[in-house]
Amino acid sequence: MICSGVSVSVNVWSMLVNGFFRSGEPRKAVDLFNKMGCSPNLVTYTSLIKGFMDYGMVDEAFSVVRIVQSKGLAADIVLVNVMIHTFTRLGRFEEARNVFLHSLKKGADQYTFATILSSLCLSRDFDLGITIGTETELDLVMGNSLMNYLCKVGNTLAALKVFRNMSNRDLALDCYTYTGFLTALCQGEAYGHALNMYDEIVKRKGIRIDAHFHTVMIDSLVELGEYGSAMRLFNRCVLEKRELDVVSYTVAIKGLVRGRRMEEACSLLEKMKDDGVMPNARTYRTVISGLCGEKDKDRLRKVLRECIEEGVELDPNTKFKVVSLLSRYTRDCSEFRSVFEKWRENVGVSDSYDELAVSAG
DNA sequence: GTAGGGTTAG
């Protein structure tokens, strides 16, 4: 269209800018924006803000926000939703909440509620002082988000009610929905029923089940202290070649640690690597604090060696436990002396705050 | 039928 001189509307330019961001070519999106043959509008700016945020280009995103403001363009509902999402991703929950409260007066929709519910969960500040979206008819994503929120605040019955509501409608329930359902059942002390439902959902045709779904069931059993049952389910998932990821293995390891089965926990740590799933800092933390708890110095040294070899950085808490245990035995920690030195140097600097920070995507 | 937005775990 451009080469043949056909006039390209602002709609088409906006679609192209958005499309290049979404297909992983932010450079082209920006080039095209700069070459637009007409002036951009709110839709174009919204695509830019979202696009920049998706690539972690926070300053660029906010420079577009300032352009919108300086042009006196009023944000519509889509931009409002993008801004709630943007502030949330940056951990700026207060601002997300303010934008949301402002949007209530002008008509929030399902996207708004899904976003703010997730924001509240992330901020761990569940008290918004208002009820959310009771006037709005649930759609799939908002329903999923609401169930998740209700489970987190401990309102299990309300979560189950949302599930029933969703089931009675013409919604194509998905992985998120069933995961929320199982979480609620386990929280409601109906884990036997949850296990039956789990089996039934896995057998059902046409539902894509992901690692998250299996992991939630396994983790719920672990949290209920049903370690044997949790491990049977995990092993069954392995045998049946279900999709499992690093979180699934870590949750299973947590079950073994809680059940004080450290030998098996260490074997599973090895097995996951054989299965092609690389342990991360959280996995090592689970095993290592378990070994510290059991004062199992020999296994601890072996696992710590691997952790260091693989370049996985532990959290400050776990480092402290390791040093407390091993430094009492000079002979046992000689091989780690330089590593411990480095840990001491870093105390109090950035990495201590990592756990407080919220991922910017 | 005609641009842009949303939900999950250890």
Side-chain angles (χ1 to χ4, degrees):
Chain A
M1 287 171 77
I2 294 164
C3 289
S4 55
V6 176
S7 80
V8 176
S9 70
V10 64
N11 295 24
V12 172
W13 285 112
S14 299
M15 285 176 79
L16 289 169
V17 169
N18 191 41
F20 277 113
F21 272 122
R22 292 188 12 166
S23 58
E25 301 190 81
R27 189 66 250 168
K28 281 192 185 160
V30 175
D31 285 347
L32 223 56
F33 172 76
N34 290 326
K35 279 188 209 146
M36 274 178 69
C38 57
S39 45
N41 63 15
L42 196 61
V43 175
T44 328
Y45 292 128
T46 306
S47 294
L48 279 175
I49 294 167
K50 164 102 185 350
F52 282 138
M53 284 304 298
D54 287 343
Y55 289 88
M57 300 162 75
V58 179
D59 293 341
E60 289 85 349
F62 278 91
S63 76
V64 179
V65 173
R66 280 190 295 276
I67 291 172
V68 172
Q69 287 167 336
S70 71
K71 290 198 165 189
L73 293 170
D76 64 6
I77 185 159
V78 178
L79 181 54
V80 161
N81 293 340
V82 168
M83 289 315 298
I84 297 172
H85 194 211
T86 296
F87 285 130
T88 299
R89 291 161 80 167
L90 296 171
R92 292 163 63 170
F93 302 117
E94 196 64 41
E95 288 154 289
R97 175 195 174 106
N98 289 338
V99 177
F100 168 73
L101 291 174
H102 189 74
S103 79
L104 276 182
K105 295 168 203 141
K106 305 192 303 183
D109 66 1
Q110 286 109 331
Y111 284 68
T112 324
F113 291 118
T115 314
I116 195 66
L117 285 165
S118 141
S119 182
L120 293 174
C121 290
L122 276 169
S123 72
R124 301 265 150 202
D125 174 15
F126 298 115
D127 183 29
L128 193 63
I130 54 155
T131 41
I132 287 178
T134 45
E135 309 281 286
T136 311
E137 182 165 71
L138 295 176
D139 70 359
L140 177 66
V141 177
M142 179 181 165
N144 290 345
S145 199
L146 186 55
M147 264 210 280
N148 187 282
Y149 169 86
L150 291 169
C151 284
K152 288 218 165 82
V153 300
N155 198 342
T156 312
L157 285 178
L160 290 170
K161 220 167 134 186
V162 170
F163 179 77
R164 202 174 55 199
N165 175 338
M166 292 172 75
S167 305
N168 291 335
R169 303 247 311 282
D170 217 11
L171 302 173
L173 306 186
D174 65 5
C175 234
Y176 290 74
T177 325
Y178 292 116
T179 301
F181 179 47
L182 293 185
T183 306
L185 285 179
C186 289
Q187 227 174 261
E189 292 167 25
Y191 80 86
H193 187 201
L195 275 170
N196 291 337
M197 290 310 302
Y198 170 91
D199 285 335
E200 205 229 289
I201 295 163
V202 168
K203 278 187 216 129
R204 249 184 244 174
K205 302 277 173 238
I207 304 170
R208 215 199 83 84
I209 296 297
D210 62 3
H212 195 132
F213 175 80
H214 303 295
T215 307
V216 159
M217 192 63 239
I218 297 164
D219 189 44
S220 296
L221 292 169
V222 170
E223 290 301 323
L224 289 166
E226 299 290 332
Y227 308 128
S229 182
M231 292 317 294
R232 278 193 296 280
L233 178 55
F234 175 79
N235 290 328
R236 203 181 101 199
C237 286
V238 173
L239 280 176
E240 293 175 358
K241 301 218 183 311
R242 302 288 177 194
E243 189 181 326
L244 296 174
D245 64 8
V246 58
V247 183
S248 322
Y249 279 86
T250 305
V251 164
I253 289 173
K254 179 179 78 171
L256 292 169
V257 170
R258 295 246 182 112
R260 309 191 73 172
R261 293 156 64 176
M262 289 314 301
E263 187 176 346
E264 289 165 87
C266 291
S267 310
L268 187 51
L269 179 66
E270 293 308 309
K271 180 181 157 42
M272 70 186 281
K273 295 184 219 171
D274 294 339
D275 292 350
V277 182
M278 284 314 284
N280 62 21
R282 200 61 183 258
T283 321
Y284 278 112
R285 173 168 113 178
T286 306
V287 178
I288 288 176
S289 42
L291 291 170
C292 288
E294 300 283 315
K295 300 195 173 27
D296 188 340
K297 298 198 298 293
D298 294 333
R299 286 208 180 90
L300 174 60
R301 275 158 50 204
K302 177 175 177 292
V303 173
L304 188 59
R305 213 175 290 138
E306 288 171 10
C307 176
I308 293 162
E309 269 167 22
E310 282 162 29
V312 176
E313 178 81 14
L314 289 170
D315 59 290
N317 219 328
T318 307
K319 285 177 182 172
F320 179 77
K321 284 185 195 167
V322 169
V323 173
S324 306
L325 183 68
L326 286 190
S327 55
R328 276 186 270 158
Y329 310 90
T330 328
R331 188 172 50 85
D332 290 338
C333 76
S334 57
E335 65 173 303
F336 302 116
R337 200 171 295 139
S338 67
V339 175
F340 290 176
E341 241 353 275
K342 218 176 283 164
W343 287 0
R344 275 193 205 97
E345 286 164 22
N346 290 333
V347 166
V349 298
S350 61
D351 70 336
S352 308
Y353 298 102
D354 279 358
E355 285 182 288
L356 297 174
V358 170
S359 162

